[in-house]
Amino acid sequence: MANSINQRIRYAKEHGARISTKGQNDTVIARPLILQLDEESIQGHEDTWAWDLIQILEDMFGKENVLGFSIHKDETNVHIHVLFVPCYEEKKTNGKVKCTLSQTKFFRNPKQLAGMHKHIRKELLDKDYKIEKDNKPIEQQLAGYYDKQGVWHQQGLTPDQLKAITNRHKELDEKEREIMLSKHELDILSQAMADVQEKAQATQENLENNMRIFECQQTDFENEKANLKTQMQAVLEEKEKLDKIRKSTNDMLERVYSVSDVCKKILQEEHTLNKDFLDFLDRLGQKNNIPLRERVEQLFKKFDKERRELLEKKHRETTIPDYRKSRQRTMDDVITQFARQKDDEKASEFDFC
């Protein structure tokens, strides 16, 4: 039998099959198949039942893949163990054969396996076997069996046990979903807390920056306040000086006004005197037939010219270019200037032209 297996595997490899021997998904190169019939089912087929089953399996899986079998009669019902190599052959369009070693090519899912059972039962019914067409529930098949002495041997789960386990599995699934949801909610809450902490940290840093800015602004404000106080003190001092200057100026103006009144009075008297003197010259000239007024006018003009030149020379010698920058003007300076102006006016009044 080992020779047959090796030959079949060699054939599969020669036609492109790959065998994996690493990891948990090693390639299955051979597997057993177990078929069991009770005494009532094989009644009348005692000599052929095994060969009938082998023929059905060869039709289903390929004659070259069914490599051996053995019959077991040590339990309540006789059964057969068949050795099967899952070599799947596929013919390409170019005529070449492509082999794959994979049991999933023959047993894709439990539904397909149940269909195989049903197919075997139908083939046996066609051969006049007394057998039920429908399979027993998988739970009953897995639960166990009775031996020849009628003793029950549990080799799997009873329907009630399977149901309890299924229910427990459902409960566990629900709990797992709840835990996953709780974990998801915790993750969301954790992320929200992290966001809040990050925002709080940013707010704290912003507040600290604002406090530093406020402290700097407060320092600047105190400095500005001190400067303003100093400036206000200087303004008050200047105001006090201005008040003193205003008072002094007012006193000076009063003195000037007083002197002005005196000068006006003197000028008025001089003007009257000049007019009387001119009238006297006219009368005296007419009486003596001498032009006294014309001669006096000529003499006065000559005198006035010399006087003006003398005054201008004196004025140039005593005048300072920038009087305000040299020293502060006093009351005597004002009176002197006023008197000089009055002298000029007086000289013009003696002009007989």
Side-chain angles (χ1 to χ4, degrees), residues 72 101 128 193 195 213 270 275 278 305 337 346:
H72 294 250
L101 282 174
D128 296 328
M193 289 294 294
D195 294 340
I213 294 172
E270 290 180 349
K275 186 176 182 302
L278 292 175
K305 180 180 179 182
Q337 185 179 7
K346 180 180 178 182

Side-chain angles (χ1 to χ4, degrees), residues 224-252:
E224 290 293 333
K225 183 178 178 182
N227 293 334
L228 182 62
K229 186 176 180 181
T230 302
Q231 293 176 2
M232 287 295 294
Q233 184 65 31
V235 169
L236 291 175
E237 292 176 358
E238 289 293 329
K239 183 176 182 299
E240 185 177 354
K241 291 179 180 179
L242 288 175
D243 290 340
K244 291 180 179 179
I245 293 173
R246 184 181 294 107
K247 185 176 182 302
S248 176
T249 302
N250 291 334
D251 294 340
M252 290 170 60

Side-chain angles (χ1 to χ4, degrees), residues 49-95:
W49 70 271
W51 296 108
D52 290 338
L53 288 175
I54 292 299
Q55 182 182 358
I56 295 171
L57 292 177
E58 288 177 347
D59 293 339
M60 292 174 63
F61 302 115
K63 185 176 181 180
E64 295 79 4
N65 290 333
V66 180
L67 301 180
F69 67 91
S70 62
I71 298 174
H72 294 250
K73 296 183 178 181
D74 56 341
E75 298 175 2
T76 302
N77 295 320
V78 65
H79 56 279
I80 183 172
H81 288 246
V82 181
L83 186 62
F84 161 65
V85 175
C87 179
Y88 181 79
E89 297 186 31
E90 182 182 4
K91 193 171 183 180
K92 299 292 184 179
T93 56
N94 57 7

Side-chain angles (χ1 to χ4, degrees), residues 54-184:
I54 292 299
Q55 182 182 358
I56 295 171
L57 292 177
E58 288 177 347
D59 293 339
M60 292 174 63
F61 302 115
K63 185 176 181 180
E64 295 79 4
N65 290 333
V66 180
L67 301 180
F69 67 91
S70 62
I71 298 174
H72 294 250
K73 296 183 178 181
D74 56 341
E75 298 175 2
T76 302
N77 295 320
V78 65
H79 56 279
I80 183 172
H81 288 246
V82 181
L83 186 62
F84 161 65
V85 175
C87 179
Y88 181 79
E89 297 186 31
E90 182 182 4
K91 193 171 183 180
K92 299 292 184 179
T93 56
N94 57 7
K96 293 183 179 182
V97 175
K98 169 74 169 128
C99 291
T100 304
L101 282 174
S102 174
Q103 63 176 343
T104 57
K105 293 288 186 179
F106 301 93
F107 309 104
R108 292 184 176 86
N109 49 57
K111 185 176 180 181
Q112 184 187 23
L113 182 60
M116 289 181 177
H117 290 172
K118 193 171 184 179
H119 175 73
I120 293 173
R121 289 174 180 275
K122 183 178 182 302
E123 291 292 328
L124 291 175
L125 284 172
D126 292 342
K127 295 179 182 293
D128 296 328
Y129 280 80
K130 295 178 181 179
I131 190 171
E132 296 179 0
K133 184 176 181 180
D134 294 328
N135 297 335
K136 292 182 179 180
I138 188 66
E139 296 87 352
Q140 295 182 14
Q141 298 179 36
L142 297 176
Y145 64 92
Y146 290 96
D147 60 16
K148 292 181 179 180
Q149 287 75 31
V151 179
W152 171 257
H153 294 273
Q154 184 169 347
Q155 61 182 7
L157 300 173
T158 64
D160 293 338
Q161 291 173 335
L162 184 61
K163 184 177 180 181
I165 291 176
T166 303
N167 292 336
R168 181 60 178 168
H169 183 68
K170 290 180 180 179
E171 292 176 1
L172 291 175
D173 287 343
E174 292 177 359
K175 291 292 183 183
E176 184 178 2
R177 284 194 294 270
E178 291 177 0
I179 291 173
M180 292 300 294
L181 289 174
S182 300
K183 184 177 181 300
H184 180 66

